[in-house]
Amino acid sequence: MLHQDLSGDQRLRDLEQSALQYGVPVEDALLIAVNLFGITSEHQERHRARINLRLVRQPAVAWQVIVPLNQPASPFRLRGEDLVLDGKVIAHVERIDADEAVGSYFRNNGRAATLNPNARSRCVGCAFCPNTLEAAADPRMGEDQGLDELLLTLVEQHPRHDLSELTEVTVSTGCFEREEAALSHLVSLRAALTRADVTARIGFLTSVLRTDAAFDALAEQVTPFVLRLTAECFTRRPVMLKDTKASLLPEQMPDLLSRALARGLDTSYTYIVGLDPMDRMVEGVGAMADVSTCFPNFQAHTPLMAGLRVAGAETLGYYLAARQAIEQAMAPTGLRPVGWECYRPLWHFTYAGQELIDARG
């Protein structure tokens, strides 16, 4: 299994052998490894960057990864526009952007938008969150006027200047500390989208929406809506998470999603692979499998989280084994990952041995 400290010639051979051992395409193993180890380059001052790349072996699909560029121990080297492993060019880099905490950006070729409307950079964050390391460009905005202005700006930024193409608008911010504030914002966002003739589903990454009253209000005023519970980990939660997340116990999560589901809301969750022992991960995933209507967002651990990971999570093999375990736990649901929804996924070109036709970064 691939380690950072192997000799150059051995690394690529080990990666290919690990991919074969776990029945994973080499392309998937390469992209998981890039997320795991980061990249070393001349951009040493950047903690983290958004990188658009195309693998040499699969050039038809562009992927966006968010990785640190200041990792001298990484086996991956950025040389000009080429990403190199063991002296071999494995991918061509099309674009590098600083991963700033910006107010909004598009995904899935303009069919999805991510909003950070509540000053994500001001969040105190969780132990593994890198947001506080980056520059900020996301001032807190007023509800109605601010949201209308944001949508007008998005029209100008959209690839075809047409927000009616949006099928999903995801609110991704850690700064709603109270359920009332989060609910008020979502109601205002739906009203702003309606004024802009946008009918997209709203997704919200949060742990603060917990009561039946909130779920009733979402069903009445915000749908279509998907609750993406920020579960993150099942163990060491008081150490890992800020209070608004840590106060939700793992055994409470299935019931929370079940109650949201009963109101007709879509449900899912986010989880950081590598923070829990494998058996606890499998237990938690299994407990929430039948109350999730959308495939959960499983993110691979990154070098910025190295001090928090469990034993073994420093190797590629850990994540390939986790990938298999999650596939087995999720098999009864029939759900499949969606490529554009996650920047550090465990699945890129295949899932459970089947091709992911919609795998787009």
Side-chain angles (χ1 to χ4, degrees), residues 80-332:
E81 297 180 350
D82 294 331
L83 186 61
V84 178
L85 175 64
D86 293 350
K88 297 181 180 179
V89 177
I90 63 164
H92 300 296
V93 175
E94 297 180 340
R95 183 172 176 174
I96 300 177
D97 295 310
D99 187 41
E100 297 175 329
V102 296
S104 60
Y105 53 92
F106 289 103
R107 305 174 72 177
N108 196 26
N109 193 30
R111 292 185 290 275
T114 295
L115 309 182
N116 295 309
N118 201 39
R120 182 182 70 172
S121 61
R122 296 170 63 176
C123 180
V124 295
C126 299
F128 49 78
C129 183
N131 287 341
T132 54
L133 299 177
E134 305 303 327
D138 62 337
R140 188 182 301 270
M141 64 183 63
E143 289 294 349
D144 293 334
Q145 182 178 356
L147 288 170
D148 288 337
E149 292 175 353
L150 174 60
L151 294 179
L152 287 174
T153 301
L154 284 176
V155 171
E156 298 304 315
Q157 296 174 346
H158 190 272
R160 290 162 295 280
H161 307 292
D162 184 5
L163 296 188
S164 68
E165 295 183 6
L166 289 174
T167 61
E168 185 101 0
V169 174
T170 300
V171 178
S172 175
T173 179
C175 299
F176 292 104
E177 297 183 359
R178 295 180 298 108
E179 183 179 76
E180 296 82 0
L183 184 59
S184 175
H185 179 80
L186 293 170
V187 172
S188 295
L189 176 58
R190 174 55 72 196
L193 291 173
T194 299
R195 290 192 293 271
D197 294 323
V198 177
T199 60
R201 182 175 69 174
I202 294 176
F204 190 34
L205 281 71
T206 185
S207 293
V208 302
L209 294 176
R210 303 185 187 181
T211 68
D212 290 344
F215 299 148
D216 288 336
L218 290 169
E220 294 170 3
Q221 302 178 62
V222 184
T223 52
F225 177 83
V226 53
L227 174 64
R228 299 189 185 275
L229 179 66
T230 48
E232 317 297 28
C233 58
F234 302 126
T235 61
R236 300 182 292 165
R237 289 177 63 80
V239 176
M240 295 287 186
L241 308 176
K242 60 183 181 177
D243 291 344
T244 54
K245 291 184 181 180
S247 62
L248 180 66
L249 303 178
E251 56 267 28
Q252 295 172 324
M253 295 178 185
D255 175 70
L256 186 154
L257 293 181
S258 178
R259 288 185 288 111
L261 184 60
R263 270 76 179 176
L265 306 177
D266 284 323
T267 54
S268 188
Y269 62 93
T270 62
Y271 180 82
I272 309 296
V273 179
L275 298 181
D276 292 325
M278 192 79 70
D279 59 341
R280 292 298 301 275
M281 179 198 73
V282 172
E283 178 185 351
V285 171
M288 291 197 284
D290 62 356
V291 289
S292 299
T293 64
C294 303
F295 193 85
N297 188 322
F298 294 104
Q299 299 185 5
H301 211 286
T302 76
L304 294 174
M305 308 175 190
L308 304 173
R309 62 194 174 196
V310 296
E314 72 280 2
T315 68
L316 175 63
Y318 180 94
Y319 298 91
L320 300 185
R323 170 176 155 138
Q324 280 190 341
I326 293 169
E327 288 174 350
Q328 293 172 4
M330 292 297 296

Side-chain angles (χ1 to χ4, degrees), residues 62-85:
W63 293 96
Q64 185 175 78
V65 297
I66 299 181
V67 296
L69 295 179
N70 56 354
Q71 298 296 304
S74 171
F76 297 97
R77 302 286 189 272
L78 187 61
R79 297 177 182 170
E81 297 180 350
D82 294 331
L83 186 61
V84 178
L85 175 64

